Amino acid sequence: MGSSRSSLRGVPDGQQLLQETGFSAALLLRLHQRFQFLDKDSRGHLRSEDLEAELSENPIGDRIVGAFFQPGQETVDFPSFVRVLAHFRPTEKNWTRDGVQPEPANSRNRKLKFAFQLYDQDRDGKISRTELLQVLREMLGLQVTEEQLQSIAERAIQEADLDRDDAICFDEFRKSLEKVDIDHKMSVRFLE
Amino acid sequence: MENLWYVAGTIFQLWMFVVVFFIMLPAMFGLSLGVTEVYIQVLVKILEWATLRIQRGQQEQPSAPIPLHTGIIERVGGSMEEEMWQLRCSRPEAAGAFCLSDGVYFCKKGLESIVEDQVTQRFSSEELASWNLLTRTNQNFYYISLRLTIIWGLGVFVRYCVLLPFRIALASTGISWLVIGTCVVGFLPESSAKNWLSELVHLTCYRICARGLSATIHYHNKENRPQKGGICVANHTTPIDVVILANDGCYAMVGQTHGGLLGILQKSMVRSCPHVWFERSEMKDRNTVTRRLRHHVAAKTKLPILIFPEGTCVNNTSVMMFKKGSFEIGGTIYPVAIKYDRRFGDAFWNSSKYNMVSYLLRMMTSWAIVVNVWYLPPMTIQDGEDAAQFANRVKSVIAHQGGLLDLAWDGGLKRCKVKDSLKEEQQKMYSNIIVGQNHIRTTKTCSETREDQ
């Protein structure tokens, strides 16, 4: 693999990312080019404005951008950028939980966790009623009244909240999505 | 010292001789000496050879990563309704309510946009599937064979030391003759002779400029050529589009008045035939612009107006949204599709990357510019159609003819942030899926409880 080593020369942590994320060398190169394109001032890292520009059409754009940043961090470097994108690779069928190998980023569990954290912004492990109302307001904008919003949130909590603590924990979230083909719906088709 | 002047004088005379007899006279009569055709054929042979060499070289070195020539991701999936339906596992009782899986749809769309957005892709130059011996089109130039490198080096020499000076000289001759010629014609009194002469001057000088870019233009369907009193609309890739179209007909240009050299050109051009130049302050007032253009069109004897409704240069793989202003003027629209052949040089002007001078330099050091121009049948606005719909209709006709993608994106997006209305649209669509039925469901449950009692 000598040539891939040379081609990844400009990419920070290139070799490590190859093994960690499972992206091919060519794809890592393309992602690095994309990163450099988004990094308009060539700082070597991205700020939230750089990503928000691409997501201005998305109702929950701000949340998705937030998922790239660690708590308290204001910048994203390339390895962190790629590690988030790694969640969206199609799941490998032959990985089994054996406790030895670390769970890959694109396993079903990790994908679900990513989606859960989009709702659970304060990262306390539960989607509270307030958080649900917030995300609903973002997705629906001004198209619904406050009463309609409340009734939608009420219905959603009643359906998913099994232990009746007025919040949705990760297990309840996972149960509610157990029939969904997460591998397909939360994967981006990278052209390798 | 005198020898130097003598030599310079002889060179100048020789140059004038060549230009007048081999370029200007044929240009006046619209003939071609066939030199460019032979040149293009030779070029094609060499490029095909180069491509074969590269393919052979790639087979011998399989571990070298082949750069991706298409997008990074493949976007599949249907509309929001279809995707939401699938996410809810086609459960009918889930329709009309919020499901936790709904967020997954927006999440995936967001990630796709971060990795690759459809707008920006149109504004970077299309990557070639083969290599045309210009390193600027091959991002990862790596050494394949000595012979190929020698040919490439020869190509650099030919392009920069032989073709470039020739082309610069030709282009400057063309432009200066345009200025002088239109000035002279401007002194004549208004008559049909003046118009004929003005057309001749314009055509000849634009043809000289086209030779200065080694442009080979193929016109199709000449019977649909724009007539007087009409409006010609075309897709925009580069400022050279004007030269390309003006080689085959005379148009009234529309644009802002500039200072400097361009300003002199504009002033002299308007003396011989009426172009429409606006001051910068007038451009902001849409009504003034529309009114002046309407006047121009209404006088059926004036030359057809040339407008590029995209408002900006796009990379010639797609057509962006047409601004409806041009379609509110009235009159007949003559659509024209322009498609550049990428093999010989990338004509797209990326105004954020290159300024005008470096762009022209790149153009003049490319191999050649090969263009296909299709004249399309004239179109008029129909009853019950508004300007925006008419614009879209014309746009899809042009995109279809030129083999370009018909996109709904606004070309201005590449410069400014997207308006909030796009986000609102997404929210509207989503609320239709949820609230649209939710209202009915709540009344249903109310009546159910009443029945129970």
Coordinates of all heavy atoms in Angstrom, one line a residue, chain A residues 66-100:
Chain A
G66 N -24.3 21.2 14.8 CA -23.8 21.0 16.2 C -23.3 19.7 16.5 O -22.4 19.5 17.3
A67 N -23.8 18.7 15.7 CA -23.3 17.3 15.9 C -21.8 17.2 15.6 O -21.2 16.2 16.0 CB -24.1 16.3 15.1
F68 N -21.3 18.1 14.8 CA -19.9 18.0 14.4 C -18.9 18.5 15.5 O -17.8 18.1 15.5 CB -19.6 18.8 13.1 CG -20.0 18.1 11.9 CD1 -21.3 18.2 11.4 CD2 -19.1 17.3 11.2 CE1 -21.7 17.5 10.2 CE2 -19.5 16.6 10.0 CZ -20.8 16.8 9.5
F69 N -19.5 19.3 16.4 CA -18.6 20.0 17.3 C -18.7 19.3 18.7 O -19.8 19.0 19.2 CB -19.0 21.4 17.5 CG -18.8 22.3 16.3 CD1 -19.7 22.3 15.2 CD2 -17.6 23.0 16.1 CE1 -19.5 23.0 14.1 CE2 -17.4 23.7 15.0 CZ -18.4 23.7 14.0
Q70 N -17.6 19.0 19.3 CA -17.6 18.5 20.6 C -18.1 19.6 21.6 O -17.9 20.8 21.3 CB -16.1 18.1 21.1 CG -15.5 17.0 20.2 CD -16.2 15.7 20.4 OE1 -16.7 15.4 21.5 NE2 -16.3 14.9 19.3
P71 N -18.6 19.2 22.7 CA -19.1 20.2 23.6 C -18.0 21.2 24.0 O -16.9 20.8 24.5 CB -19.6 19.4 24.9 CG -19.7 18.0 24.4 CD -18.9 17.8 23.2
G72 N -18.3 22.5 23.9 CA -17.3 23.5 24.3 C -16.3 23.8 23.1 O -15.6 24.8 23.2
Q73 N -16.3 23.0 22.1 CA -15.4 23.3 21.0 C -16.0 24.2 20.0 O -17.3 24.2 19.8 CB -15.0 22.0 20.2 CG -14.2 21.0 21.0 CD -12.7 21.2 20.7 OE1 -12.4 22.1 19.9 NE2 -11.9 20.5 21.4
E74 N -15.2 25.1 19.4 CA -15.8 25.9 18.3 C -15.3 25.7 17.0 O -15.7 26.3 16.0 CB -15.5 27.4 18.7 CG -16.4 27.9 19.9 CD -16.3 29.3 20.1 OE1 -15.6 30.0 19.3 OE2 -16.9 29.8 21.0
T75 N -14.4 24.7 16.9 CA -13.8 24.4 15.5 C -13.8 22.9 15.3 O -13.8 22.1 16.3 CB -12.3 24.9 15.4 OG1 -11.6 24.3 16.4 CG2 -12.3 26.4 15.6
V76 N -13.8 22.5 14.1 CA -13.7 21.1 13.7 C -12.5 20.9 12.8 O -12.4 21.6 11.8 CB -15.0 20.7 12.9 CG1 -14.9 19.3 12.5 CG2 -16.2 20.9 13.7
D77 N -11.6 20.0 13.2 CA -10.5 19.8 12.2 C -10.9 18.6 11.3 O -12.0 18.0 11.5 CB -9.2 19.5 13.0 CG -9.4 18.3 13.9 OD1 -10.4 17.6 13.9 OD2 -8.4 18.0 14.7
F78 N -10.1 18.3 10.4 CA -10.4 17.3 9.4 C -10.7 15.9 10.0 O -11.7 15.2 9.6 CB -9.4 17.2 8.3 CG -9.7 16.2 7.2 CD1 -10.8 16.4 6.4 CD2 -9.0 15.0 7.1 CE1 -11.1 15.5 5.4 CE2 -9.3 14.1 6.1 CZ -10.4 14.3 5.3
P79 N -9.9 15.4 10.9 CA -10.1 14.1 11.4 C -11.5 14.0 12.1 O -12.2 13.0 11.9 CB -9.0 13.8 12.4 CG -7.9 14.6 12.0 CD -8.5 15.9 11.4
S80 N -11.9 15.0 12.9 CA -13.2 15.0 13.5 C -14.3 15.0 12.5 O -15.3 14.4 12.6 CB -13.4 16.2 14.5 OG -12.2 16.4 15.2
F81 N -14.1 15.8 11.4 CA -15.0 15.9 10.3 C -15.3 14.6 9.8 O -16.5 14.1 9.6 CB -14.5 16.9 9.3 CG -15.3 17.1 8.1 CD1 -16.5 17.8 8.2 CD2 -14.9 16.7 6.8 CE1 -17.3 18.1 7.1 CE2 -15.7 16.9 5.7 CZ -16.9 17.6 5.8
V82 N -14.2 13.8 9.5 CA -14.4 12.5 8.8 C -15.0 11.5 9.8 O -15.8 10.7 9.4 CB -13.0 12.0 8.3 CG1 -13.1 10.6 7.8 CG2 -12.5 12.9 7.2
R83 N -14.6 11.6 11.1 CA -15.2 10.7 12.0 C -16.7 10.8 12.1 O -17.4 9.8 12.3 CB -14.6 10.9 13.4 CG -13.2 10.4 13.4 CD -12.6 10.3 14.9 NE -11.2 9.9 14.8 CZ -10.1 10.7 15.0 NH1 -10.3 11.9 15.3 NH2 -8.9 10.3 14.8
V84 N -17.2 12.0 12.0 CA -18.7 12.2 12.0 C -19.3 11.6 10.7 O -20.3 10.9 10.7 CB -19.1 13.7 12.1 CG1 -20.6 13.9 11.9 CG2 -18.7 14.2 13.5
L85 N -18.6 11.9 9.6 CA -19.1 11.3 8.3 C -19.1 9.8 8.3 O -19.9 9.2 7.6 CB -18.3 11.9 7.1 CG -18.5 13.4 6.9 CD1 -17.6 13.8 5.7 CD2 -19.9 13.7 6.5
A86 N -18.2 9.2 9.1 CA -18.1 7.8 9.1 C -19.3 7.1 9.6 O -19.6 6.0 9.2 CB -16.9 7.4 9.9
H87 N -20.1 7.8 10.4 CA -21.4 7.3 10.9 C -22.3 6.9 9.7 O -23.2 6.1 9.8 CB -22.1 8.3 11.8 CG -21.5 8.4 13.1 ND1 -20.7 9.4 13.5 CD2 -21.6 7.6 14.2 CE1 -20.3 9.3 14.7 NE2 -20.8 8.2 15.2
F88 N -22.1 7.6 8.6 CA -23.1 7.5 7.5 C -22.6 6.6 6.4 O -23.2 6.6 5.3 CB -23.4 8.9 6.9 CG -24.2 9.6 7.9 CD1 -23.7 10.3 9.0 CD2 -25.6 9.7 7.7 CE1 -24.5 10.9 9.9 CE2 -26.4 10.3 8.6 CZ -25.9 11.0 9.7
R89 N -21.6 5.8 6.6 CA -21.2 4.8 5.7 C -22.2 3.6 5.9 O -22.7 3.4 6.9 CB -19.8 4.2 6.0 CG -18.7 5.1 5.4 CD -17.4 4.5 5.6 NE -17.3 3.2 4.9 CZ -16.9 2.1 5.5 NH1 -16.6 2.0 6.7 NH2 -16.8 1.0 4.8
P90 N -22.5 2.9 4.8 CA -23.4 1.8 4.9 C -22.8 0.8 5.9 O -21.6 0.5 5.9 CB -23.5 1.2 3.5 CG -23.1 2.3 2.6 CD -22.2 3.2 3.4
T91 N -23.7 0.1 6.7 CA -23.3 -0.8 7.7 C -22.6 -2.0 7.1 O -23.1 -2.5 6.1 CB -24.5 -1.3 8.5 OG1 -25.3 -0.1 8.8 CG2 -24.0 -1.9 9.8
E92 N -21.5 -2.5 7.7 CA -20.9 -3.7 7.3 C -21.7 -4.9 7.8 O -22.0 -4.9 9.0 CB -19.5 -3.8 7.7 CG -18.5 -3.3 6.7 CD -17.8 -2.1 7.3 OE1 -17.5 -2.1 8.5 OE2 -17.4 -1.2 6.5
K93 N -22.0 -5.9 7.0 CA -22.8 -7.0 7.5 C -22.1 -7.9 8.4 O -22.6 -8.6 9.2 CB -23.4 -7.8 6.3 CG -24.1 -6.9 5.3 CD -25.5 -6.4 5.8 CE -26.1 -5.6 4.8 NZ -26.8 -4.4 5.4
N94 N -20.7 -8.0 8.2 CA -20.0 -9.1 8.9 C -19.4 -8.7 10.2 O -18.6 -9.4 10.7 CB -19.0 -9.7 7.9 CG -18.1 -8.5 7.3 OD1 -18.3 -7.4 7.7 ND2 -17.2 -8.9 6.4
W95 N -19.7 -7.5 10.7 CA -19.2 -7.2 12.0 C -20.0 -7.7 13.1 O -21.2 -7.6 13.1 CB -19.1 -5.6 12.1 CG -18.5 -5.2 13.4 CD1 -17.2 -5.2 13.8 CD2 -19.2 -4.8 14.6 NE1 -17.0 -4.8 15.1 CE2 -18.3 -4.5 15.6 CE3 -20.6 -4.7 14.9 CZ2 -18.6 -4.1 16.9 CZ3 -20.9 -4.3 16.2 CH2 -19.9 -4.0 17.2
T96 N -19.4 -8.4 14.0 CA -20.2 -8.9 15.2 C -19.6 -8.4 16.5 O -18.5 -8.1 16.6 CB -20.1 -10.5 15.2 OG1 -18.8 -10.8 15.1 CG2 -20.9 -11.1 14.2
R97 N -20.5 -8.2 17.4 CA -20.1 -7.7 18.7 C -19.3 -8.7 19.5 O -19.9 -9.6 20.0 CB -21.3 -7.2 19.5 CG -21.0 -6.5 20.8 CD -22.4 -6.3 21.5 NE -23.1 -5.2 20.9 CZ -23.0 -3.9 21.1 NH1 -22.0 -3.5 22.0 NH2 -23.7 -3.0 20.6
D98 N -18.0 -8.7 19.5 CA -17.3 -9.7 20.2 C -16.5 -9.1 21.4 O -15.7 -9.8 22.0 CB -16.3 -10.4 19.3 CG -15.4 -9.5 18.6 OD1 -15.4 -8.3 18.9 OD2 -14.7 -9.9 17.7
G99 N -16.7 -7.8 21.6 CA -16.0 -7.2 22.7 C -14.6 -6.9 22.5 O -14.0 -6.2 23.4
V100 N -14.0 -7.4 21.4 CA -12.6 -7.1 21.2 C -12.4 -5.9 20.3 O -11.7 -5.0 20.6 CB -11.9 -8.4 20.6 CG1 -10.4 -8.1 20.3 CG2 -12.0 -9.5 21.6

